[in-house]
Amino acid sequence: MVEGKYNSVYKKDNIRQIRRALKMTQKEFLEFFLMKEDGKPAMSVATLSNLESKGGERLNEVISAVSSRLRLDSMMFSLEPQEFLQNLENFLNTHQTEGELFYKSEKKGNISQLVNRLTMYFADEILEGRLKRGDQIESDRELAKKLNVGRSAVREALKVLDVLGMIDIRLGQGTYITSRETNFFSVPLSWSLFLDGAQVKSILQVRGALEIRAVQLACECKDENKLAKLTDIYYRMQKTFQESRSNGNLQHVLQDTLDADIEFHTCIAECSGNPIILSMLTTIRNFLKRVSGTGLIDEKQLQAVVEEHQKLYGAIISGNKEDAMNAIMRHLSQSMERYQV
């Protein structure tokens, strides 16, 4: 219980004070605190304005919603305005910023919902022609106001989209829609995989199913440029491995082989001709790079990887689906053991 002299006559003034302290317009205040399940505000701006100036029966409805959302003592709104403001300032200082305050009022599970909302928002902006590849997006403060959530929550959600490769967060410069070739509209199919690092094994299984289908389709590829690119990547991997035996710089070779391995599998996805498979596999690899080891430890394993790729490459180039299926299944089985998850 908050100490002080209580009087219900102060409620209207304190509602106005807390709205202004949070730097919200009346519309933003309603959208943040008094939204119904159908997505519409529980009262009009005119009604709120009248409550702030004259009071009324619905004041308690507003106080109840605000107190519940911010975890405040509802009796605080009956304090003399100056004392209320002092208590409010102490509360806001404890939470450091209004952005953090909003974030604390959100359940952790809502980050996943916010990722989806941001994805849909950016997709709509692209479809409407207001955004295009490489464009800078609004600041986290502007997005927080637009979506009626806290800035901290927006920042966390943007980090997820950055991992997905859909946006580029550039320190000191801002955040941009990625300029890379990627299918932004496939994100809703894949983003939820990345909200729990404990799902690595499940994600590897999804990756395997996509890799298998990509290899099947790649065996049907007639695009000479894509097949030539696959050939270049494969022979570069072979050359790197052969040179490693003479210079003895294993760590450098492991990293070069890992890079070539990622390029090789990405190129197979390109050869499949399916942009959704390509986008989802790219997303999964971005995630795996952040939560697991390289999957390569020593020269023996490195040699095994090169040999597995050799069989897979030969089968794809020759269009032999049966051999390609056997090669990719063996490669996926071995890579599951090599990943440090």
Side-chain angles (χ1 to χ4, degrees):
M1 183 70 69
V2 180
E3 295 182 359
K5 297 179 180 179
Y6 303 110
N7 192 323
S8 61
V9 74
Y10 299 137
K11 290 180 178 179
K12 62 181 179 62
D13 297 318
N14 291 334
I15 285 292
R16 182 170 59 252
Q17 285 203 112
I18 194 170
R19 178 177 62 78
R20 290 177 176 174
L22 296 176
K23 300 177 182 178
M24 288 181 166
T25 65
Q26 290 175 329
K27 182 176 182 293
E28 291 170 340
F29 187 83
L30 289 171
E31 290 176 344
F32 187 76
F33 291 109
L34 288 117
M35 290 292 284
K36 297 188 295 185
E37 291 184 1
D38 61 3
K40 297 180 181 179
M43 65 178 63
S44 67
V45 170
T47 299
L48 177 61
S49 180
N50 194 54
L51 289 174
E52 287 185 352
S53 60
K54 300 178 182 179
E57 295 181 357
R58 300 189 70 182
L59 269 177
N60 287 336
E61 179 184 341
V62 177
I63 289 172
S64 176
V66 174
S67 299
S68 176
R69 187 72 183 268
L70 301 185
R71 300 175 186 173
L72 291 173
D73 187 338
S74 60
M75 288 298 294
M76 181 173 156
F77 289 86
S78 296
L79 288 171
E80 188 272 336
Q82 188 58 41
E83 189 172 354
F84 171 83
L85 189 58
Q86 182 178 347
N87 278 275
L88 179 62
E89 288 176 350
N90 290 337
F91 179 76
L92 293 177
N93 287 336
T94 300
H95 292 80
Q96 297 180 0
T97 67
E98 70 272 16
E100 183 180 351
L101 172 65
F102 295 167
Y103 177 55
K104 293 296 183 183
S105 71
E106 298 284 347
K107 295 180 179 179
K108 289 184 178 179
N110 286 347
I111 291 297
S112 62
Q113 297 176 14
L114 184 54
V115 171
N116 195 38
R117 289 179 65 193
L118 281 170
T119 298
M120 293 298 96
Y121 170 69
F122 292 137
D124 287 342
E125 293 294 288
I126 292 171
L127 286 171
E128 294 295 326
R130 290 185 289 268
L131 277 179
K132 61 181 182 300
R133 208 173 271 158
D135 281 356
Q136 185 172 9
I137 64 175
E138 301 105 311
S139 67
D140 54 20
R141 180 184 292 275
E142 292 170 324
L143 287 170
K145 286 185 176 181
K146 188 166 290 186
L147 299 176
N148 297 307
V149 294
R151 289 178 64 194
S152 295
V154 168
R155 285 194 289 267
E156 289 302 313
L158 289 175
K159 288 177 184 177
V160 175
L161 289 181
D162 184 45
V163 170
L164 295 175
M166 299 300 103
I167 62 174
D168 292 319
I169 298 176
R170 305 172 191 172
L171 294 179
Q173 299 181 48
T175 303
Y176 298 77
I177 297 294
T178 183
S179 57
R180 297 185 295 277
E181 289 291 331
T182 187
N183 192 335
F184 198 93
F185 304 99
S186 67
V187 176
L189 300 176
S190 59
W191 63 264
S192 61
L193 295 174
F194 306 91
L195 300 174
D196 182 359
Q199 296 187 97
V200 173
K201 185 175 180 180
S202 297
I203 293 172
L204 283 171
Q205 290 172 344
V206 172
R207 170 207 167 193
L210 292 171
E211 293 274 14
I212 290 170
R213 185 54 179 156
V215 167
Q216 287 178 324
L217 294 172
C219 288
E220 302 172 1
C221 181
K222 304 300 181 184
D223 189 319
E224 293 184 2
N225 290 329
K226 291 179 180 178
L227 294 174
K229 180 179 178 181
L230 187 66
T231 298
D232 288 342
I233 296 169
Y234 166 70
Y235 280 110
R236 177 159 29 100
M237 181 184 294
Q238 256 201 347
K239 182 180 179 182
T240 298
F241 175 65
Q242 290 168 355
E243 290 177 348
S244 71
R245 293 182 166 179
S246 59
N247 59 34
N249 190 351
L250 181 61
Q251 192 59 44
H252 177 72
V253 173
L254 287 176
Q255 186 57 53
D256 284 352
T257 303
L258 174 63
D259 292 341
D261 176 75
I262 292 172
E263 285 187 66
F264 184 79
H265 285 278
T266 299
C267 190
I268 290 176
E270 291 175 358
C271 290
S272 77
N274 188 314
I276 302 299
I277 289 179
L278 173 60
S279 180
M280 293 189 71
L281 283 174
T282 300
T283 299
I284 287 173
R285 290 192 188 96
N286 286 339
F287 175 72
L288 290 176
K289 284 193 295 185
R290 289 164 169 79
V291 299
S292 66
T294 65
L296 298 175
I297 299 175
D298 53 35
E299 185 175 354
K300 184 178 179 181
Q301 288 189 341
L302 181 60
Q303 181 174 356
V305 169
V306 173
E307 291 175 354
E308 289 163 21
H309 282 80
Q310 181 180 27
K311 293 178 181 178
L312 181 57
Y313 165 74
I316 291 174
I317 290 297
S318 64
N320 189 322
K321 285 189 179 182
E322 183 177 354
D323 286 352
M325 286 300 96
N326 290 333
I328 188 61
M329 292 292 287
R330 176 172 174 74
H331 177 58
L332 290 172
S333 175
Q334 294 298 313
S335 65
M336 285 284 284
E337 295 181 11
R338 284 190 291 262
Y339 264 105
Q340 302 165 22
V341 298

